[in-house]
Each structure stands twice: as C-alpha cells, then as structure tokens.
Amino acid sequence: MADASPRTDISTDAETDEMNQRFDSGKSIVVAPSDSSDRSKSNLDQKILRRLAQNREAARKSRLRKKAYVQQLESSRLKLTQLEQELQRARQQGIFISSTGDQSHSIGGNGAMTFDVEYSRWLEEKNRQINELRTAVNSHAGDAELRIIVDGVMAHYDEIFRLKSNIAKADVFHLLSGMWKTPAERCFLWLGGFRSSELLKLLVNRLEPLTEQQLVGIGNLQQSSQQAEDALSQGMEALQQSLAETLSTGSLGSSGSSGNVANYMGQMAMAMGKLGTLEGFICQADNLRQQTLQRMHRILTTRQSARALLAIHDHFSRLRALSSLWLARPRE
Amino acid sequence: MQSQTPPELSLLTYLPVPSFFSSQLLLLLISCINLLVVMDKVRDLASKKAAVIFTKSSCYMCYSIKTLFYELGASPAIHELDHDPNGRDMERALRGLGCDPSVPAVFIGGRFVGSAKDVISLHVDGSLKQMLKDAKAIWF
C-alpha cells in the first residue's frame, strides 16, 4: 500500500515511514496465509489495517503541524530583524528608547513619538523625491519636467511645516528640544528648526551664474531673514528673562503663611501664561522658514531652484551622516 | 480698566424704560455705537504716525515686532492696550478688523497691515520695507 501523505522537506519522519513500511511488509506476510479466511484472523487484519491507517494519518498531521510551526518561527524571526533594524535606526537618530518600553511620558510622549514617526516618513519621501530630482538634473531634463519635480519638493516642505504646527500645539518643548533631529543638526538648532539666513549663505556660491537682479534679490532675502531671526530671538530672550523674574520674585524665607501660598500660586499662573506664548514663537519661526524658501524659489529659475534644493538636502544629509559617525565613534 | 458700569448704561436711568426687551435693544444699540466710536479712535491713532503698533506690555511677540521696526530704522508709535482705559474695547475693535491674535496690530500709513505673521511674511517679500518707504516711515 503506497503512503498517500504529502511530501514534506523537513521529513525526519523517515522512521515513521519505515515503521509503516515494516508494517506493510509485515502485513503482506500476515495477509498471505489469510487465504484460509479465518474469522478471527480477518478481524485481526482489520484491526491492524485500521491501526496502520490511523498511524499514517497521525504522522501526516504531525508533519503538517511541524511545518506550520516552523513557518511561524521563520516569519517571527524576520519581524524581529526588522524591528531590530528600526531600533538601530532610531537609536542612531538619538531618540531615547527605553529598553523596557515604559510609558511614563503620558500625553506629551505620545504626541512626540507620533511626530517622530511622521518626521521619519517625511524624510524617506524627501529622499525619494531628491533622488528623482538629482536624476532629472543629471540627465539634463527639460524645464517642464524639472518644474513638476521641484514643485513637488516645495509642496513636500509645506507638509513638514504643517506637521510641526500640529505638534507645536500639543508639545512645543519636543520641537524646541530638537530631539527629533540628529545630534549634529541639533548644533544648529534655532527656535525648533534651521536658520534660513544660514541656508542662504551656503547656497549663494553654489548657484552661479546669477543675474544682477537675482543677486540683489537673494542678498535682500538673506538680510530680511536675518533681521526677522534677530527680532524673534530678542523676543524669546525677553520672554526668558521675564519668566525667570516671575519665578524668582517673592520671599524665599518664611514659609507656610497663606499670603505666600497665594503669591506662589499667582506666580505659577503668570509663568504658565508665559510658557503658553512659546508656541507662537515656534509658529513664527516656522513661518519665516517657509516664507524664505518660497521667496527663494520665486527669485530663482526652475533649474536654479532644483540645484538649490539639492544643495540644501545634501547639507542636511551630511549633518545626519556626521551624527551617525559621531554616535558610532569608539569610546574608552 | 473699567470695573464699574460703563457710562452708556448709566444713561438708562434717565430714559423711560417701558419693557425688558426694549432695554436690551437699547443696550445692543449703545454697544454698537460704542464699538464704532472705539474703532474710530483706533483708526485715528493709527493715522497719527507713519507706523503705529498696538501692543500689550506682556506680549513678547509684540516685543519682537517692535525690535524689527527699530532694526529697519522706523520709529513706530506704540500703544499699549493694557495701559489704556479703553483697552478692552480697542482690542475688540482690532479683532473686528481681522487681527488674530489681536496684538501686535500693525498700521502703516494709516492702513491696517496685520499681525506678527503678516508683518514677517511681508518683510521676507521685501514689501514691508517698501510700505515703510512709501509712508515715509523710513528713507532707505
């Protein structure tokens, strides 16, 4: 009797097969003399046949279960390596990851983590767009094609500013901390992002040839963004000073009197009000960045804009690469 | 800041008040007139100098915008709403003009320009400087 069970690669059930074969051969030895059609003998045969069939069935089921289990293990292993890679990537970006996964940061933490995930997705899309742009520029694509890709990149920038304004309402300190950026980028952090005036300084040399009018335009833009940055910085400093003063007024000595408690509460209420205005500063800083990028795009030709966007991206990606090197540096 | 009944309400004591509703209508009418009067005052103040900024002493964004104007060489007239008896009404009037947040509220050449976001956008554009030059708030 041929074994009808499906073939498996992981068949270490050869012994089961062998046992079945032995039974088969045993059965043939037993069957032959049953020509005498002895009742008890044929009952025994039935039992043996049934037992054999059950054995085969059980062996088949066991093989199937084992196969399913191994498949499950393999897919889990794949998932594990994927998670490890993500973790490694996140660690490189300097994001704090607790190994026990404690959720001590309640509302603010969730918003921050969501933003970080959204930001990394935004970066991936940006990389894709920039590669497309680079290919187009290197292959001397026409203006029409370039314009489509450049417009796409500019629209993509609008997206990050929208994401940032959303998180600014919930957790302005996460943006201000720059923890969503890599360490080297954090060096240059200004009010939760990059400094437009610095970016323009980097670009001017890379964009030649510029017409006289364009040079003047870019120069004015650089000056305007510098002035706006200074104004916002000074407003921030005044806010910080005022916050420090609010928290330091009032007597430190005598404690417990109701007047002091009321004082303390009043100070805290004032300080809370002041902290609330930070969101406005981040918003204006981001508005400045967005307006500067758009103005730059308007002054330049399509081809120049393409080169500018590539240069900007290269600058940040080098900072990110520097951060990776820094984080992987050998330490004593 | 006024904490007693505004002067308009005290007028009611001199007028015969037949019913509850007509007194409510009267109140509405009076507050409309009040708003118009205050808006007029705001516009009047706004046209007194080439550059005028309405602020609050506690607002640090106002500080930033003031700093920007000084940096550009303008000397804007500053009106602090929290130190003006009609401050609350003036704030309402500014909001009515579409200024959000109500401070800083910037006027150049008597015309309403906007709040901080508008001013920064116009500055990046180069338009702010041109507006200031046209209104003779700056010369170069």
Side-chain angles (χ1 to χ4, degrees), chain A residues 221 223-224 227 231-232 234-235 238-239 242 280-281 284 287-288 291-292 295 298, chain B residues 58 60-61 63-65 67-68 71-72 116-118 120-121 123-126 129:
Chain A
L221 181 60
Q223 191 188 38
S224 306
Q227 286 167 336
L232 287 174
Q234 289 189 42
L239 172 61
S242 161
F281 275 95
Q284 294 309 329
N287 178 41
L288 176 60
Q291 296 293 326
T292 308
R295 173 82 180 150
R298 279 200 299 274
Chain B
S58 57
Y60 294 94
M61 191 51 69
Y63 188 100
S64 285
I65 297 300
T67 306
L68 183 63
E71 179 69 30
L72 295 175
K117 186 172 183 179
D118 307 300
I120 289 177
S121 305
H123 186 48
V124 168
D125 226 76
K129 241 184 168 178

Side-chain angles (χ1 to χ4, degrees), chain A residues 253-274:
Chain A
S254 51
S255 57
S257 87
S258 63
N260 279 344
V261 170
N263 230 13
Y264 180 83
M265 307 266 275
Q267 281 172 35
M268 282 298 161
M270 266 217 307
M272 282 285 281
K274 294 191 176 161

Side-chain angles (χ1 to χ4, degrees), chain A residues 166-193:
Chain A
N166 284 343
I167 189 67
K169 292 186 186 80
D171 190 358
V172 67
F173 291 101
H174 179 62
L175 279 180
L176 277 174
S177 73
M179 289 309 289
W180 52 287
K181 287 199 177 215
T182 64
E185 287 174 294
R186 255 175 264 153
C187 254
F188 299 91
L189 199 73
W190 173 77
L191 279 187

